[in-house]
Amino acid sequence: MSQAEISAASNFIRTLIKQQREAGQQQKVVTRFPPEPNGYLHVGHAKSICLNFGIAEEFGGDCHLRFDDTNPEKESQVFIDAIQEDIRWLGFEWAGDVRFASNYFDQLYDWALHLIKAGKAYVCELDAEQMREYRGTLTEPGKNSPYRERSVEENLAEFEKMRAGDYPNGAKVLRAKIDMAAPNINLRDPILYRIRHQHHHQTGDRWCIYPSYDFTHGQSDAIEGITHSLCTLEFEDHRPLYEWFLENLPVPCKPVQTEFARLNLNYTVTSKRKLKLLVDEGIVDGWDDPRMPTISGMRRRGFTPKSIRDFCDLVGVNRAGGVVDINMLYFALRNDLEHNARRGMVVLNPLKIVITNWEEGREEILTSPSHPARDDLGERQLPFTRELFIDRNDFMEEPPKKFFRLAPGKEVRLRNAWVIRCDEVIKDDQGEIIELRCSYDPDTLGKNPEGRKVKGVVHWVSADKGVPAEVRLYDNLFQVETPDADKDKDFLEHLNPDSLSRVDAICEPSLAQAGAEDHFQFERVGYFCADRHDHQPENGKLVFNRTVSLKDSWAKMQKKQG
RNA sequence: UGGGGUAUAGCCAAGUGGUAAGGCACCUGGUUUUGGUCCAGGCAUUCGGGAGUUCGAAUCUCUCUACCCCAGCCA
């Protein structure tokens, strides 16, 4: 068996770069991933990371990590640290040191002066509300600010006062002088600098004016020698502005902005604002809650870096915004885990069975490969005793047709062990099944029984030797495909009440050796990951998170039959 | 009613004038000590609609329609 190889398909950006290289342009490719440190990275960012780092890798270039830190009110060191950890975990390394747009504040300030001197920027004193009125609407042009025609000298003096801290927050702004009647609203004298008496995580209290995104991004790209500035579609309208700054400023080079569609996944939300709300409202247990589509949440859930990278390759890159089926994510996940996760047997919903023809006190140690197709992963020992647990779902007193599991009088294979037959069902006073009396066929270890076919296989754990574990069963956080699509319904109304349930499970003894973040396939059940924080085998506390269930054609068949 | 975009199967997505790749999902069948994996097969007479150019159009032209983004001193 070999793992399905997934590689990135061709896309318009790769095609573009190849064409440029064939035409002899752009020999060196330099990209950048520019997160704002105001939240955790999510799958959507993974797409951008894979694209930017992937392009650089493919064409032998560099990819920079640059924090777009122009709004200190919302940013913090916590996010800066988390973002770096997530990128490294995903398997990427940026070229050179981590960069910050704030590294360029001095240069940006000089360039603002340059625009003022060229008569292309002015200090405006309209307040926020007036500014909105003057801006016009989508269909009506704006009108010029009364401050638009100030002299260069006055603008220089005013801007210097802004920088010196002579004015309170919001009192004045520096604006580019472009065209208040432009059909593209971004060109209606956009704001370059605003006053914010705010401590900055990188520059401390050195500045009380901060440049806007538009005035920062392209120039930062130019300073770093970025060749391809890849961003999402919503910045398309900003491209003329991006280019306007590069043309009107003495920048060292002119990067080109190219937009691609952001990733949307069904059954989840990928909006930083909404994810932050889930965290702040305590709906989930932090940014790395295993139900979160954040990189750190997915990591804790049990996704592997490769599965996320493969997923991004599977999805592709283009300009048509769509919604990707989360099954594609799960496919990439299972595809990786199937090949690389060790196997173990764990009973989530125990039902005791007694092997009546197995002597009291007798214990046999069976061995089984840790992976059916990977000898290099070694083997594990499975103690077999008179009393065992199987899953309640694997027994039915009155089984329907095609139920290949245990039922009164029926036989089933105990995975990695013998074939047993159910002889008797024991119930309590309430009629609840509490135990099954079975007998085993000693001639079926490692071979099929003679003269009959036993179709079903069931997993089990020794009642004496099994070890208890807390197992957290995770499911989609939302129960509808597009939780944020309704205009009149809050996305929180679509939360899946069963996104998390906990069960006390019994594991085969080998699982007591599991280290945090180890991945397993619990045979016949699903893929699980030892919790990064709460799994403490040294204290006898085992905690596993369900990453994703195995495909279940039996469940599908039952569902279809109603 | 302004500007900018996007339409190829249920979903993602190649394709750039020569007769619709691939993947997910789904459906058949086979193998199997995981109802998993794996293997074999099926799944668009047609590319948002219409008209036109052409020997030939998903690709070019015109037109219509639908959907997405933009009126933060957020990014």
Side-chain angles (χ1 to χ4, degrees):
Chain A
M1 177 183 62
S2 67
Q3 185 177 14
E5 287 300 325
I6 295 168
S7 58
S10 141
N11 64 53
F12 76 102
I13 295 174
R14 279 171 217 277
T15 304
L16 179 76
I17 296 175
K18 280 179 192 154
Q19 286 168 349
Q20 291 170 337
R21 302 196 119 198
E22 280 162 19
Q25 316 160 347
Q26 306 287 14
Q27 286 312 307
K28 169 102 176 178
V29 171
V30 186
T31 58
R32 101 269 92 114
F33 175 63
E36 184 189 9
N38 66 348
Y40 276 56
L41 261 25
H42 55 66
V43 254
H45 295 107
K47 175 177 178 179
S48 177
I49 290 169
C50 290
L51 210 216
N52 279 294
F53 284 91
I55 289 280
E57 220 165 75
E58 180 176 342
F59 295 97
D62 291 335
C63 180
H64 299 177
L65 168 61
R66 180 175 76 233
F67 286 100
D68 226 333
D69 56 345
T70 57
N71 186 9
E73 279 173 52
K74 293 181 177 172
E75 301 160 4
S76 82
Q77 191 63 42
V78 178
F79 298 129
I80 291 173
D81 295 340
I83 287 169
Q84 293 182 62
E85 184 181 0
D86 287 346
I87 295 171
R88 286 207 173 96
W89 178 78
L90 271 176
F92 298 104
E93 189 57 56
W94 47 92
D97 294 335
V98 174
R99 296 148 210 260
F100 294 86
S102 54
N103 292 158
Y104 315 134
F105 281 177
D106 285 306
Q107 175 65 265
L108 258 10
Y109 181 78
D110 283 345
W111 279 337
L113 257 23
H114 181 97
L115 286 181
I116 292 173
K117 289 172 187 161
K120 291 173 182 169
Y122 63 98
V123 172
C124 181
E125 294 173 31
L126 255 24
D127 64 30
E129 195 181 326
Q130 293 169 318
M131 185 92 70
R132 198 179 319 124
E133 286 164 15
Y134 274 75
R135 187 158 37 227
T137 68
L138 293 178
T139 53
E140 297 159 324
K143 52 186 181 186
N144 288 168
S145 162
Y147 304 96
R148 202 173 198 258
E149 301 306 330
R150 296 221 253 217
S151 68
V152 167
E153 292 65 33
E154 191 181 358
N155 279 318
L156 249 15
E158 284 298 321
F159 189 46
E160 168 55 26
K161 282 185 178 174
M162 280 172 62
R163 190 196 63 85
D166 291 357
Y167 303 121
N169 287 351
K172 309 191 177 189
V173 294
L174 182 73
R175 302 174 73 178
K177 192 190 287 187
I178 305 182
D179 180 6
M180 288 308 290
N184 179 344
I185 292 186
N186 295 122
L187 264 17
R188 318 240 261 231
D189 290 9
I191 290 173
L192 271 31
Y193 270 90
R194 67 283 213 207
I195 299 169
R196 283 279 177 285
H197 291 272
Q198 170 77 40
H199 184 84
H200 187 286
H201 48 94
Q202 299 302 312
T203 59
D205 296 312
R206 207 159 96 71
W207 298 90
C208 63
I209 56 172
Y210 291 97
S212 63
Y213 163 84
D214 286 308
F215 190 64
T216 306
H217 203 92
Q219 289 92 302
S220 298
D221 283 343
I223 291 168
E224 295 184 10
I226 300 299
T227 55
H228 299 263
S229 184
L230 312 178
C231 65
T232 44
L233 252 23
E234 64 269 28
F235 292 101
E236 197 155 14
D237 287 345
H238 293 246
R239 193 170 62 221
L241 224 203
Y242 181 102
E243 290 166 350
W244 189 89
F245 289 125
L246 297 184
E247 276 158 25
N248 287 281
L249 258 12
V251 292
C253 68
K254 293 187 180 170
V256 176
Q257 170 176 309
T258 304
E259 311 83 15
F260 62 92
R262 63 190 307 155
L263 173 72
N264 297 302
L265 249 195
N266 62 12
Y267 296 102
T268 104
V269 296
T270 43
S271 137
K272 242 194 234 179
R273 202 203 105 241
K274 288 182 175 125
L275 295 178
K276 186 174 189 309
L277 188 76
L278 291 169
V279 173
D280 292 346
E281 296 293 310
I283 293 164
V284 295
D285 187 22
W287 286 95
D288 74 341
D289 184 297
R291 292 166 292 183
M292 291 284 273
T294 50
I295 303 299
S296 57
M298 294 169 83
R299 172 179 180 176
R300 194 171 170 195
R301 170 89 164 251
F303 281 78
T304 58
K306 177 171 163 47
S307 67
I308 295 173
R309 282 188 258 113
D310 282 351
F311 168 67
C312 291
D313 285 343
L314 238 28
V315 166
V317 181
N318 73 8
R319 293 169 62 86
V323 182
V324 174
D325 189 343
I326 197 160
N327 281 311
M328 216 185 271
L329 215 208
Y330 292 144
F331 166 80
L333 218 208
R334 291 190 181 110
N335 187 241
D336 187 25
L337 261 14
E338 157 64 26
H339 194 65
N340 298 312
R342 289 186 157 77
R343 309 289 131 122
M345 292 196 288
V346 176
V347 174
L348 298 186
N349 190 200
L351 171 61
K352 189 159 95 174
I353 69 174
V354 177
I355 310 296
T356 54
N357 58 341
W358 185 277
E359 304 81 63
E360 301 258 7
R362 177 183 166 202
E363 178 182 322
E364 292 273 337
I365 306 291
L366 305 172
T367 58
S368 178
S370 293
H371 189 289
R374 294 268 311 267
D375 292 343
D376 59 306
L377 259 21
E379 52 187 23
R380 61 201 148 114
Q381 299 195 318
L382 300 167
F384 192 98
T385 53
R386 180 177 159 92
E387 296 195 351
L388 309 170
F389 288 116
I390 63 167
D391 199 287
R392 297 194 95 93
N393 296 331
D394 288 333
F395 175 79
M396 280 185 95
E397 205 171 9
E398 293 169 21
K401 281 252 184 297
K402 295 200 171 178
F403 183 77
F404 305 138
R405 303 179 188 183
L406 201 56
K410 295 285 177 94
E411 281 187 304
V412 79
R413 158 78 61 184
L414 289 180
R415 173 91 174 139
N416 302 309
W418 292 272
V419 167
I420 60 166
R421 184 180 58 237
C422 175
D423 302 313
E424 193 183 345
V425 178
I426 313 287
K427 299 180 181 176
D428 64 10
D429 298 342
Q430 274 72 250
E432 176 100 7
I433 298 169
I434 52 170
E435 183 181 311
L436 263 26
R437 300 247 147 189
C438 304
S439 49
Y440 85 109
D441 180 343
D443 198 29
T444 55
L445 186 64
K447 60 180 180 180
N448 288 322
E450 309 254 329
R452 65 212 139 99
K453 181 80 180 160
V454 174
K455 174 108 176 142
V457 179
V458 150
H459 58 100
W460 56 276
V461 172
S462 160
D464 304 330
K465 303 292 176 177
V467 293
E470 174 183 339
V471 173
R472 299 171 182 168
L473 303 174
Y474 292 102
D475 206 337
N476 295 338
L477 226 202
F478 295 95
Q479 47 191 347
V480 298
E481 280 200 37
T482 51
D484 48 8
D486 292 331
K487 293 276 182 273
D488 44 34
K489 213 171 184 186
D490 192 86
F491 78 108
L492 293 177
E493 290 181 45
H494 296 301
L495 282 167
N496 175 9
D498 302 317
S499 61
L500 167 60
S501 56
R502 297 161 203 271
V503 300
D504 294 317
I506 315 283
C507 310
E508 64 169 68
S510 74
L511 260 2
Q513 284 358 287
E517 294 199 86
D518 282 352
H519 302 275
F520 295 94
Q521 182 198 100
F522 291 176
E523 293 189 280
R524 300 210 316 128
V525 181
Y527 294 100
F528 292 77
C529 177
D531 190 82
R532 201 178 160 190
H533 306 313
D534 302 332
H535 178 80
Q536 295 166 346
E538 63 281 8
N539 300 327
K541 187 184 175 197
L542 309 186
V543 179
F544 294 101
N545 299 328
R546 181 172 69 193
T547 309
V548 66
S549 63
L550 243 33
K551 287 211 280 186
D552 188 347
S553 59
W554 168 242
K556 191 185 290 180
M557 197 188 302
Q558 281 181 307
K559 203 174 172 185
K560 217 160 48 178
Q561 289 168 354

